Amino acid sequence: MNKYNKNTLYIVGDSKTAINNPITVQYSAYFIALIIDPEDAVIIDVGVSTTLQETRDFVKSIFMGYQMERGQNPLIEEIKTRYHGSSQKALIVAWKDAYKKYEQIKK
């Protein structure tokens, strides 16, 4: 049983969080995993290293359906506007890292 098509891409972006952040205690790093359909360059699924399910669901709501060809900045602005958790900066850095990897794969 395959959840994803054979052509989908799996890209992980990572960053660091504050030493006293529960995410750092549990995972040692902050990361976001993106499943991207390369045919239309849309994010179809998201995983993120958070401690609360509500945070995972919320982050997923920001990323799901995002069209990668729009660039990284519109999503950064949405994160700044909507996500006010202590890991906001780490989420942005992880997104930038994942986007850079996506750009490298595209070439």
Side-chain angles (χ1 to χ4, degrees), residues 10-18 21-35 45-52 55-57 59-60 63 79 83 87-99 101:
Y10 178 78
I11 299 174
V12 176
D14 58 71
S15 66
K16 302 248 186 264
T17 57
N21 188 310
I23 293 169
T24 303
V25 172
Q26 187 169 351
Y27 297 107
S28 301
Y30 189 92
F31 59 87
I32 186 163
L34 306 175
I35 310 293
D45 206 354
V46 180
V48 64
S49 59
T50 63
T51 55
L52 298 173
T55 306
R56 281 190 287 281
D57 293 344
V59 169
K60 200 170 190 168
F63 284 85
I79 292 166
Y83 184 89
S87 301
Q88 183 191 71
K89 188 178 276 188
L91 178 57
I92 291 170
V93 171
W95 160 243
K96 287 180 179 179
D97 184 50
Y99 190 84
K101 290 174 183 174

